[in-house]
Amino acid sequence: GAQVEVREASSIPEDAGAFDVIVANLPMMPSNDTAETASDFYNYAGENGWEVIEPYLEQAERHLAEKGYVRIMLLDFLGIEERTGPGVPSAFERLQALGLTPSVIARSQDTAHDGHPFVTREGLFDHVRKLYPDYDFGEGSYGMSVVEGRRPGA
């Protein structure tokens, strides 16, 4: 059978070597508050939601094996195939800029419910809608996607 080595980490050390597969579920929620508490870190990724994801993708690309790929979960309003806000590149644009071929592996739909940051954090939903005006939130619903970036020829 295939030999598999799994490593769990919050970042990829520079001396970690090359990986066939890198999977991440990173903080991705935009924040309307610069004074977040440490307990919020698991959710929030800066003003536009990309401040954790973008550097991680750059780091992951440097550690992908020749036929490797990276997979990350993203909130659809961040812009998957296309931009949903002015001046904010889509996930596909970001992966292509790193020389990776992007695709969507899976999608799901959710709604803001009790306990969701859109409900509990004052002004957050309005902040996100201002950042990403081209995304259709419908009745407070939003999508999530697993996005993959593959090395060419992988």
Side-chain angles (χ1 to χ4, degrees):
Q3 186 177 8
V4 176
E5 179 183 342
V6 176
R7 296 185 197 176
E8 182 180 344
S10 59
S11 66
I12 306 169
E14 285 303 318
D15 63 351
F19 297 92
D20 295 322
V21 179
I22 298 174
V23 179
N25 183 8
L26 302 167
M28 65 188 100
M29 183 64 74
S31 174
N32 60 333
D33 181 1
T34 56
E36 295 157 7
T37 65
S39 65
D40 283 339
F41 180 74
Y42 78 96
N43 263 339
Y44 298 102
E47 183 191 1
N48 69 10
W50 283 99
E51 291 176 28
V52 173
I53 301 164
E54 187 161 38
Y56 189 87
L57 287 175
E58 292 168 0
Q59 190 179 47
E61 186 278 328
R62 290 193 303 271
H63 289 281
L64 282 179
E66 184 179 331
K67 295 187 182 252
Y69 61 89
V70 60
R71 288 184 179 170
I72 58 170
M73 182 171 305
L74 293 173
L75 294 159
D76 285 357
F77 60 75
L78 295 173
I80 304 301
E81 293 99 339
E82 297 178 4
R83 293 179 181 207
T84 54
V88 184
S90 69
F92 276 31
E93 288 176 283
R94 292 168 195 270
L95 290 167
Q96 289 166 338
L98 294 171
L100 303 174
T101 303
S103 62
V104 174
I105 302 304
R107 290 190 192 270
S108 68
Q109 198 70 20
D110 201 356
T111 56
H113 49 77
D114 288 346
H116 189 282
F118 280 165
V119 175
T120 61
R121 189 131 185 183
E122 187 175 337
L124 179 60
F125 190 56
D126 290 335
H127 173 71
V128 170
R129 288 185 3 194
K130 286 177 188 169
L131 286 171
Y132 300 105
D134 297 334
Y135 186 78
D136 180 9
F137 284 95
E139 296 297 315
S141 67
Y142 59 94
M144 295 190 74
S145 295
V146 176
V147 177
E148 178 180 273
R150 282 190 174 267
R151 290 250 187 245

